[in-house]
Amino acid sequence: MFLKTEQIRESMEPLKSLHPFYGMTFLVFKKAPLPIGDTIQYPINAKETEFLETHFKPEQGSQYFYQVFKTSNPSKRWLSPTYPSSTLQSIRTRGDLARAFIHPKNTDIWGWEENYIDILRDHLNGTKVTSIPTFHVAVWLYRERNWEADTTAQDIVATFLKEFSISHEEERLFDSSTPQSNVLDELFQDEKISLRDLQSVIGKAPDSTPEEGGTLRLLEIQGVGPAKNIVFQPGERLTLITGDNGLGKTFLLDCAWWALTGKWAALQAYPMTNTRKNEPSIGFQISGDSDSEKIKVSYDWQTQSWKPPKKRPTIPGLLVYAKVDGSFAVWDPAKEYLATQELGESDLTPRPFVFTRDEVWNGRDIEVGGRRTTFINGLLQDWIQWQSRPDSSPFGTLEKVIERLSPPSQSDLGILRPGEPVRIPYDVRPMPTIEHSYGRVPIVYTSAGVRRVITLAYLIVWAWEEHKIQSKLIRKKPQKRMVILIDELEAHLHPQWQRVILSALLDVREDLASDLQVQLMVATHSPMIMASVESKFDEKFDKLFLLDLAKNDLLSNEIELSQLPFIRRGRIDSWLTSDVFGLGQPRSIEGEQAIQAAKQLQEEDNPSSEEVQKVSDALRKYLAEDDEFWSRWLFFARQHGASL
């Protein structure tokens, strides 16, 4: 069992008023142990540093110690590496506490004075905390210790007194009481406190390296794009973004990509205005295992660009952005750091690569160190190479992902499977093929929908496989998080395919790695897409957003982004008439207008037979013979002499 995060947080409060001497130097000397009335040679600076390294350095990769005790500046609790040899040395060699020691100056000779307990007691009485809170000091020092199942708070105190050899006389300096509640469930938890949980209490060290593997938690846009202000908090797993054309779905995905990577996948967002009342800015928060601080970036009117943040506390994981024009953007923290360093750039922020539709299929070269090198082989070459050695390549993964993203088996197209390569006229390359219900087709001749899904499958697999290779080269573990952004997922897809594609994408991670977490952000106009995830949508991890025209008059248009509750509506036409899509009727415009005219006529006190006949003719022209509205209209029409 391990001490609970809540107990550690609670114990830190009384320690903030305790002089650091009693939680650091005093305990180090007790470990010596320091003799009373005599002296020994004891390298206190080295021992204090060792003690602080063990108990006061939460981030092992950092050079800073965390000050849990009283400090002159509570807003700056991170201590420099020189703290033991400077501040602590000053405390034990000057002032009241120095009188407790036998210590020739400028030596490593130390011992306790005979009356050291009285001196330390008098000093404590002059502070806010008149005795050392034993239990709370022990909680901080033992926050990572694994305790026996039957351990009590009194056991923790007893362990502390024993390990630091606190004598009976020295116990006068301590308050050894324990919390009123001694229930094990309130003191202990199964897992050791994680760095993320501890950082939520104490923050991060000044030299803390950026956390890797983050996803987007927050995006705030002010004075940029179609809306004055947008606050976007995507779901942990799935985020659906919908709204009419031109209201900013693609813009929102572009800004999300920029927030994650620091680079634009296309044209940068341009501010609406440069007035002081609405100073353009983009704020964002990227978080991984621990919550990170929010970053706010302003627009530089002189350079006409967005100022890069000085430091990113969290680096995102692997990113793939499928744009509606067939181009793709990929950002790989392992591959891009390597490329940036090879290019000798001073900005070590990983660079995203944007591939045109042709580059995704045929490859792209880049210049590194004055020479041309291949950055991506492209789908056509990789497919053939992978297929020629399936046992040692990602071809099996590609097959699984293509099959998963295929239209349903009962559709005319059926399940997509890679076939044997063929040659086509005027091309010397072996050409990959796809087998479906129509036979074997070279992929360059497949439909737009098939090509888009195949391309998406390839880029996801390629990005993941390349990330694993590059991570191995730089001796880092592969990321455990991936972000996929897709604009107009339904583009080129038949409704049957639209009903399965999103659910399949949610499960693609199973084909890549069992422990991979994927954050998926999708912009869509399709009610089929919405209906397709009714059985999988989980409000704990998923969100639905609507971009809508909140104000529309001669002076201005006002667009707002709002999160909607995801309501399972069952029928596709119910989605069409919901607040997500806002259609009045799931019919043609003419049919909707005819029904509206009929309803208005039914509300009149004495409609003429000519008016009823006119509406009946319109209904007969625009409604299906089995339309449910006929049951409401027929009796009324006959009553008023209409011929049907």
Side-chain angles (χ1 to χ4, degrees):
M1 300 187 304
F2 298 88
L3 286 162
K4 271 192 171 183
T5 302
E6 293 80 2
Q7 182 58 61
I8 295 170
R9 184 194 302 269
E10 182 180 325
S11 290
M12 288 174 62
E13 285 304 311
L15 299 184
K16 291 178 181 178
S17 300
L18 178 66
H19 194 285
F21 171 86
Y22 300 97
M24 295 177 176
T25 303
F26 177 73
L27 299 181
V28 174
F29 277 131
K30 288 300 300 177
K31 278 285 189 180
L34 212 60
I36 302 171
D38 200 357
T39 59
I40 59 172
Q41 187 162 349
Y42 192 65
I44 184 61
N45 284 343
K47 293 296 184 180
E48 280 178 330
T49 300
E50 181 182 328
F51 187 73
L52 265 64
E53 289 275 354
T54 302
H55 299 291
F56 295 86
K57 185 175 278 190
E59 297 184 32
Q60 292 305 309
S62 170
Q63 297 186 44
Y64 285 76
F65 305 111
Y66 184 77
Q67 177 58 284
V68 71
F69 302 115
K70 184 178 180 181
T71 176
S72 58
N73 189 352
S75 63
K76 294 183 179 180
R77 289 191 167 273
W78 290 99
L79 308 173
S80 73
T82 61
Y83 181 78
S85 60
S86 57
T87 306
L88 287 183
Q89 181 181 15
S90 177
I91 290 173
R92 56 182 139 78
T93 57
R94 301 175 186 175
D96 293 342
L97 291 170
R99 296 186 297 108
F101 298 105
I102 304 171
H103 170 61
K105 288 184 178 181
N106 302 320
T107 69
D108 276 340
I109 305 300
W110 293 90
W112 290 118
E113 292 282 4
E114 294 284 354
N115 63 338
Y116 76 100
I117 295 178
D118 293 330
I119 294 172
L120 298 184
R121 185 67 186 166
D122 290 342
H123 182 267
L124 272 173
N125 288 333
T127 66
K128 184 176 180 180
V129 178
T130 56
S131 56
I132 302 169
T134 316
F135 174 76
H136 298 302
V137 173
V139 166
W140 172 258
L141 298 179
Y142 300 146
R143 63 188 181 276
E144 295 186 350
R145 178 172 295 192
N146 192 357
W147 297 90
E148 295 293 333
D150 57 350
T151 301
T152 64
Q154 286 85 356
D155 293 333
I156 294 174
V157 170
T159 300
F160 172 87
L161 296 176
K162 180 180 179 181
E163 289 189 357
F164 287 97
S165 304
I166 305 300
S167 66
H168 179 70
E169 293 79 9
E170 288 171 337
E171 286 188 31
R172 292 193 292 130
L173 301 172
F174 290 84
D175 173 7
S176 295
S177 61
T178 56
Q180 292 182 353
S181 174
N182 196 27
V183 181
L184 295 184
D185 288 344
E186 295 185 11
L187 288 177
F188 296 101
Q189 59 191 25
D190 294 333
E191 300 294 330
K192 180 175 66 176
I193 183 172
S194 66
L195 178 59
R196 173 184 178 179
D197 289 339
L198 189 57
Q199 285 176 335
S200 69
V201 180
I202 67 176
K204 292 185 176 181
D207 62 346
S208 178
T209 57
E211 182 185 4
E212 295 186 9
T215 55
L216 187 65
R217 298 290 179 89
L218 172 68
L219 180 65
E220 291 185 359
I221 307 170
Q222 177 178 304
V224 188
K228 291 181 180 179
N229 291 285
I230 288 179
V231 178
F232 178 51
Q233 293 179 281
E236 185 178 328
R237 184 184 67 152
L238 171 64
T239 301
L240 293 167
I241 306 165
T242 189
D244 205 346
N245 294 99
L247 296 187
K249 297 184 298 299
T250 301
F251 165 78
L252 195 58
L253 290 179
D254 284 345
C255 288
W257 174 266
W258 176 84
L260 287 162
T261 67
K263 311 291 181 182
W264 295 99
L267 294 174
Q268 69 170 354
Y270 191 75
M272 297 166 51
T273 176
N274 61 354
T275 60
R276 291 183 177 274
K277 292 183 179 179
N278 196 22
E279 189 66 27
S281 65
I282 302 178
F284 58 90
Q285 183 180 11
I286 303 170
S287 297
D289 290 331
S290 59
D291 293 332
S292 65
E293 63 185 278
K294 175 185 168 185
I295 295 175
K296 186 175 182 180
V297 177
S298 58
Y299 189 75
D300 189 330
W301 292 99
Q302 291 184 344
T303 62
Q304 294 286 285
S305 63
W306 294 93
K307 298 177 182 177
K310 294 180 179 179
K311 181 181 179 182
R312 284 174 167 260
T314 305
I315 301 297
L318 187 63
L319 311 179
V320 175
Y321 182 8
K323 298 173 70 66
V324 73
D325 63 358
S327 64
F328 280 79
V330 178
W331 191 97
D332 182 346
K335 196 178 189 75
E336 307 305 347
Y337 270 127
L338 184 63
T340 305
Q341 290 168 350
E342 286 179 349
L343 289 169
E345 297 179 5
S346 58
D347 177 14
L348 294 183
T349 302
R351 303 176 305 152
F353 279 89
V354 181
F355 303 112
T356 65
R357 180 168 47 189
D358 180 69
E359 288 172 338
V360 172
W361 281 59
N362 295 295
R364 173 176 171 179
D365 292 342
I366 61 172
E367 188 171 312
V368 178
R371 64 182 179 87
R372 301 293 294 178
T373 184
T374 301
F375 186 80
I376 181 173
N377 289 323
L379 184 152
L380 298 181
Q381 182 176 337
D382 274 338
W383 186 304
I384 296 298
Q385 288 183 350
W386 294 351
Q387 192 171 12
S388 67
R389 43 188 178 86
D391 294 338
S392 59
S393 74
F395 192 71
T397 304
L398 181 64
E399 282 186 298
K400 291 178 184 178
V401 174
I402 289 176
E403 182 175 348
R404 189 182 292 279
L405 299 183
S406 296
S409 56
Q410 65 270 25
S411 68
D412 291 341
L413 199 59
I415 302 298
L416 305 178
R417 293 185 175 88
E420 289 300 315
V422 298
R423 286 286 298 274
I424 63 174
Y426 309 109
D427 199 323
V428 300
R429 299 172 296 179
M431 188 60 59
T433 63
I434 278 290
E435 291 183 348
H436 48 60
S437 58
Y438 301 160
R440 183 186 303 170
V441 181
I443 60 174
V444 292
Y445 295 144
T446 56
S447 68
V450 172
R451 288 200 303 272
R452 188 171 196 234
V453 170
I454 286 176
T455 305
L456 180 61
Y458 164 71
L459 251 297
I460 290 174
V461 173
W462 175 83
W464 176 247
E465 293 297 328
E466 281 294 303
H467 174 69
K468 290 195 296 183
I469 292 171
Q470 295 299 330
S471 295
K472 186 176 181 180
L473 287 175
I474 63 176
R475 299 185 178 182
K476 281 191 173 184
K477 291 182 179 180
Q479 297 288 340
K480 298 303 182 185
R481 291 184 178 85
M482 184 177 187
V483 180
I484 301 176
L485 300 91
I486 305 178
D487 197 3
E488 293 194 25
L489 175 60
E490 69 275 11
H492 307 302
L493 301 186
H494 186 277
Q496 289 193 65
W497 208 340
Q498 292 181 33
R499 289 207 306 175
V500 298
I501 186 66
L502 184 52
S503 293
L505 278 168
L506 287 172
D507 295 333
V508 157
R509 66 175 188 82
E510 297 176 8
D511 301 321
L512 303 179
S514 58
D515 57 349
L516 183 66
Q517 300 175 42
V518 175
Q519 183 185 41
L520 185 61
M521 289 181 242
V522 173
T524 181
H525 298 112
S526 172
M528 306 293 296
I529 296 291
M530 296 295 180
S532 71
V533 290
E534 285 192 345
S535 62
K536 289 195 171 184
F537 197 95
D538 187 337
E539 291 190 356
K540 294 178 183 176
F541 311 107
D542 308 326
K543 292 184 180 180
L544 168 62
F545 290 91
L546 174 67
L547 279 161
D548 199 10
L549 200 59
K551 180 182 178 183
N552 184 10
D553 54 37
L554 295 176
L555 297 177
S556 65
N557 294 329
E558 214 169 284
I559 295 170
E560 67 177 9
L561 176 73
S562 54
Q563 183 182 344
L564 301 180
F566 189 91
I567 300 172
R568 291 172 176 79
R569 303 178 188 276
R571 291 168 55 97
I572 303 300
D573 55 4
S574 296
W575 276 103
L576 285 170
T577 57
S578 70
D579 51 358
V580 176
F581 295 101
L583 270 66
Q585 297 280 341
R587 299 175 172 86
S588 67
I589 292 178
E590 294 84 359
E592 181 178 335
Q593 292 172 343
I595 288 178
Q596 288 176 345
K599 289 180 177 179
Q600 290 175 359
L601 204 60
Q602 286 179 319
E603 292 175 358
E604 293 184 10
D605 293 335
N606 190 23
S608 66
S609 58
E610 292 79 7
E611 291 175 319
V612 175
Q613 185 64 54
K614 181 180 178 181
V615 170
S616 293
D617 292 342
L619 291 172
R620 188 165 56 247
K621 182 177 181 180
Y622 298 122
L623 297 191
E625 293 180 357
D626 59 349
D627 193 292
E628 61 184 20
F629 187 74
W630 284 118
S631 61
R632 172 177 175 176
W633 177 254
L634 289 175
F635 178 75
F636 173 83
R638 287 169 179 157
Q639 271 190 324
H640 291 83
S643 175
L644 299 172

